[in-house]
Amino acid sequence: MTTTLEKPAPTPAPAPVRRRRRRVERDGLGLRLYTWLIIAWLMLPIGIMILFGFNDTHSKQNFQWEGFTLRWYRHLFDKGDLTQALWNSLSIALLSTVITTVLGTFVGIALGRFRFRGKGVTNLVLFAAISCPEIVMGASLLSMFVSLDLPRGYWTVLIAHVMFSISFVAVTVRARVVGLDPKVEEAAKDLGAGPVTTFRLVTLPMIMPGVMSGALLAFALSIDDFVITNFTSGSTVTFPLWVYASTRTGTPPQVNVMGTLIFAAGVVLAVISARRGARHT
């Protein structure tokens, strides 16, 4: 004959504990709702931009919905000056990102790993460049180019974008380097790896998430910059400058399509970078 032991009934939580749990659940629900409202508010302009890229408008102004069409995607490059402006922005952004990533990575490694005279001043200059208002930096760069008698154009815009982006890459990489364990590099050297091999096979893969984050940040800052570019562009027209000028006569739907494609490319790159970063952590 077997007997079964019945499990005792769980003791109900005291009333104050139950009230506290309900309050926490209610606060958590309110916080989630608030977060989604903020996200929706931030995404609203982007959603409108994407929507009006499909607007079948027949006027110069693209502010009133007139129907759905895909023809603006088929005729994306019909406006030569707009296409040239987009190409200027993309090429400047790509070149400045490559240059900034290389220079900023080594600056970040030096600041995060070594002690040297002037390190505090270097940190101060980097953070000052980040916090400096764009109009101040644009006016300063303009004064520098005028003093050096450099004609403003494509290359002065590229130099300006490198100068204001390098701080973001350096600070991002520095934060990654500070969190690394130096014993891993020391182990590689003990196994016979030289400085270049250690950097290529050990250090660089460990800091790659920071490098990629800095590169994406530099690209995003460059491709949509208006203020500093306006000071240093001369006769060169970038995508943001063209869009601003077009608001006086009418912004074509191709602008919305190009903005949508740039946004989609940025989302894809951010997802890839996040997945790679998660894989290395």
Side-chain angles (χ1 to χ4, degrees):
M1 181 177 180
T2 58
T3 57
T4 57
L5 298 177
E6 295 183 357
K7 295 182 179 180
T11 304
V17 176
R18 293 198 300 271
R19 287 196 297 268
R20 191 180 303 113
R21 289 176 180 174
R22 287 195 295 268
R23 186 167 60 250
V24 170
E25 293 175 358
R26 185 172 59 252
D27 294 342
L29 178 61
L31 181 59
R32 288 193 295 270
L33 179 61
Y34 172 78
T35 302
W36 281 111
L37 287 175
I38 294 298
I39 293 175
W41 172 254
L42 294 176
M43 292 296 295
L44 180 62
I46 299 175
I48 293 175
M49 176 192 68
I50 296 173
L51 177 64
F52 276 83
F54 299 98
N55 186 23
D56 190 15
T57 181
H58 299 280
S59 64
K60 291 184 178 181
Q61 301 295 334
N62 188 26
F63 301 134
Q64 184 176 356
W65 182 257
E66 300 180 25
F68 181 86
T69 183
L70 292 173
R71 65 190 178 101
W72 305 120
Y73 283 83
R74 296 193 299 266
H75 301 281
L76 180 60
F77 302 111
D78 282 3
K79 293 184 175 294
D81 51 349
L82 174 58
T83 303
Q84 182 62 43
L86 178 64
W87 167 249
N88 289 337
S89 288
L90 289 175
S91 60
I92 290 173
L94 289 172
L95 287 174
S96 66
T97 299
V98 172
I99 298 172
T100 301
T101 301
V102 174
L103 297 178
T105 297
F106 287 111
V107 172
I109 293 173
L111 293 174
R113 181 57 54 84
F114 304 107
R115 295 179 179 271
F116 55 90
R117 182 175 298 178
K119 181 177 178 179
V121 176
T122 305
N123 277 316
L124 178 62
V125 171
L126 290 177
F127 283 103
I130 293 175
S131 60
C132 177
E134 286 194 357
I135 191 169
V136 175
M137 181 168 289
S140 301
L141 289 169
L142 174 61
S143 300
M144 184 186 74
F145 293 142
V146 170
S147 301
L148 296 176
D149 197 22
L150 291 176
R152 287 179 295 155
Y154 184 93
W155 296 108
T156 53
V157 174
L158 177 60
I159 294 172
H161 285 205
V162 170
M163 293 184 70
F164 75 72
S165 298
I166 192 171
S167 299
F168 293 90
V169 179
V171 170
T172 305
V173 174
R174 176 184 175 273
R176 182 72 179 180
V177 171
V178 170
L180 296 182
D181 186 0
K183 294 180 180 180
V184 179
E185 295 176 315
E186 295 174 1
K189 295 177 182 178
D190 292 339
L191 293 174
V196 177
T197 304
T198 301
F199 175 78
R200 182 172 58 88
L201 298 179
V202 179
T203 306
L204 186 58
M206 290 193 298
I207 67 173
M208 186 55 67
V211 174
M212 292 298 298
S213 299
L216 290 175
L217 184 59
F219 183 84
L221 291 171
S222 174
I223 199 168
D224 70 349
D225 181 76
F226 175 82
V227 177
I228 297 176
T229 303
N230 194 34
F231 275 95
T232 60
S233 61
S235 60
T236 300
V237 179
T238 61
F239 184 67
L241 296 182
W242 196 97
V243 173
Y244 176 75
S246 70
T247 57
R248 305 172 186 175
T249 57
T251 304
Q254 284 92 337
V255 170
N256 298 74
V257 176
M258 290 179 178
T260 300
L261 296 177
I262 293 173
F263 172 73
V267 171
V268 171
L269 291 175
V271 171
I272 294 174
S273 177
R275 291 179 65 88
R276 291 193 60 175
R279 191 180 300 119
H280 283 86
T281 55

